[in-house]
Amino acid sequence: MTNAPDRYERFVLPEGVSKVTRIKDTRITNAATFEVQREDHTLGNLIRMQLHRDPEVLFAGYKAPHPLEYKINFKVQARDTTNPETVFRRAIDAVDTEIADLRKAFTEELARPRDQGNFY
Amino acid sequence: MVYGRDCDVCDGDTQCEHCSVEFTLDVRCEGDSTLDVTTFDLQTSDETVEPADVAAARKAMEEDEKLLKGILIVKLRKNQEVKLRCLARKGIGKDHAKWNPAATAVFQFEPEIIINQQLMETLTEEQKQEWIDSSPTKVFDIDRATRQVQVVNAEAYAYDEEVIKKAEAMGFPGLVTISAREDSFIFTVEATGALKPETIVLNALDVLRMKLDGVRNGLTMALMEDPQMMNYQMNGG
């Protein structure tokens, strides 16, 4: 009776759809839009904040265009010393490394005997 | 165990042993008193999978604590019986909240609390206590030996600024300065009981990396299909 989309639509990439599409910006030099399918603010905000830390990035932003379109768009403009693809990949790698480091530190801390665990 | 939609064996039917665990319940009340049917009566088809409260009870028994009662499913009177088959499937919280193992996940900035001890020493013992009691949460206390006001639990501070207002009202502005450290977080994760909080955090980090991996691979594929990718390669991406 309803036309609500299936819940899994939010995170299952349909067959024949590519995860990332690059759209070159025709008006701004060295800028591109990356359309990422089936991702949300979890990755959007994470990657955007990392792009902002990059001195070779002139502009970086993301948006979730519509709550029922399960994708996010990144708009990236890079300095002329590089290109949007490179900085975008660099941001992904940097976040990945940071999470890996955090995971390692967390595992090490777990292995250490707890000094105060009387929270519960 | 795999997610039902990733299961190749039963083709999305989610009924096979690769993507589901079957529980059976078969209880009959023979006695005169009512019989409580609980989660302890569920028979699992896979020894490694059991209800979370059954796992907790087993652990408690190993530690020689009192036996916990299972979660009540139904009560039976004499000659009544219940027979049913349950399927446990794996899923994620984004699909349905029933699969979410986290009750609360919050972060706060670590507060940096500096007491002006010189000024504090001009207060009487009663004034000190009055000021300490003005905080809704127990953040400060008087050290028994030195009689100095000290921070006992900075984490409990709720950024309510009650102690700052109180200090001003008492005529001692600048008694304490509190700032949020923006490079240090206190992350609080509370689990529902299905998973341990530390497991949830580790899983979350793994999922984030998996997502990043997906985007990275997608980006590589998108650029390979693109004839314009020459400049990308030359710049060594």
Side-chain angles (χ1 to χ4, degrees), chain B residues 6 23 29 31 64 82 111 113 125 131 143 165 180 205 213 232:
Chain B
D6 299 335
F23 290 90
C29 181
D64 204 33
V82 61
I113 304 172
E125 194 90 338
W131 180 77
D143 190 290
K165 285 179 208 151
L205 294 174
D213 236 26
Y232 173 72

Side-chain angles (χ1 to χ4, degrees), chain B residues 34-154:
Chain B
T34 44
L35 179 73
D36 291 352
V37 181
T38 68
T39 44
F40 287 5
D41 296 309
L42 284 168
Q43 300 297 316
T44 174
S45 65
D46 182 343
E47 289 299 315
T48 59
V49 181
E50 55 189 356
D53 68 308
V54 176
R58 173 163 299 125
K59 195 162 169 279
M61 261 155 72
E62 274 168 19
E63 286 163 12
D64 204 33
E65 281 172 38
K66 69 174 167 69
L67 180 72
L68 293 147
K69 269 167 74 181
I71 296 168
L72 185 66
I73 297 167
V74 71
K75 287 184 178 184
L76 295 181
R77 285 179 70 183
K78 194 175 183 180
N79 292 330
Q80 287 180 328
E81 71 173 313
V82 61
K83 246 186 205 175
L84 57 94
R85 201 169 73 94
C86 323
L87 279 176
R89 295 190 186 113
K90 200 162 102 156
I92 59 171
K94 201 176 190 177
D95 192 353
H96 195 285
K98 68 186 174 188
W99 279 305
N100 192 346
T104 46
V106 230
F107 81 83
Q108 69 179 94
F109 291 121
E110 189 182 330
E112 202 161 29
I113 304 172
I114 300 154
I115 303 169
N116 186 343
Q117 290 292 359
Q118 239 177 331
L119 186 61
M120 185 62 82
E121 281 316 301
T122 62
L123 270 71
T124 64
E125 194 90 338
E126 289 78 48
Q127 281 178 312
K128 281 181 188 173
Q129 194 57 51
E130 190 189 337
W131 180 77
I132 288 164
D133 293 338
S134 74
S135 177
T137 49
K138 194 146 184 63
V139 181
F140 306 94
D141 208 354
I142 295 177
D143 190 290
R144 278 201 202 149
T146 62
R147 308 309 296 168
Q148 272 195 330
V149 176
Q150 283 188 328
V151 179
V152 286
N153 188 5

Side-chain angles (χ1 to χ4, degrees), chain B residues 6-19:
Chain B
D6 299 335
C7 185
D8 299 324
V9 182
C10 59
D11 207 24
D13 210 26
T14 59
Q15 301 254 342
C16 73
E17 69 266 30
H18 295 281
C19 57

Side-chain angles (χ1 to χ4, degrees), chain B residues 183-212:
Chain B
D183 57 348
S184 177
F185 310 104
I186 300 162
F187 218 107
T188 312
V189 177
E190 187 182 341
T192 57
L195 290 175
K196 280 196 212 143
E198 51 264 41
T199 318
I200 294 173
V201 174
L202 286 174
N203 285 354
L205 294 174
D206 287 340
V207 168
L208 279 178
R209 293 194 69 187
M210 254 164 55
K211 286 183 173 201
L212 287 166

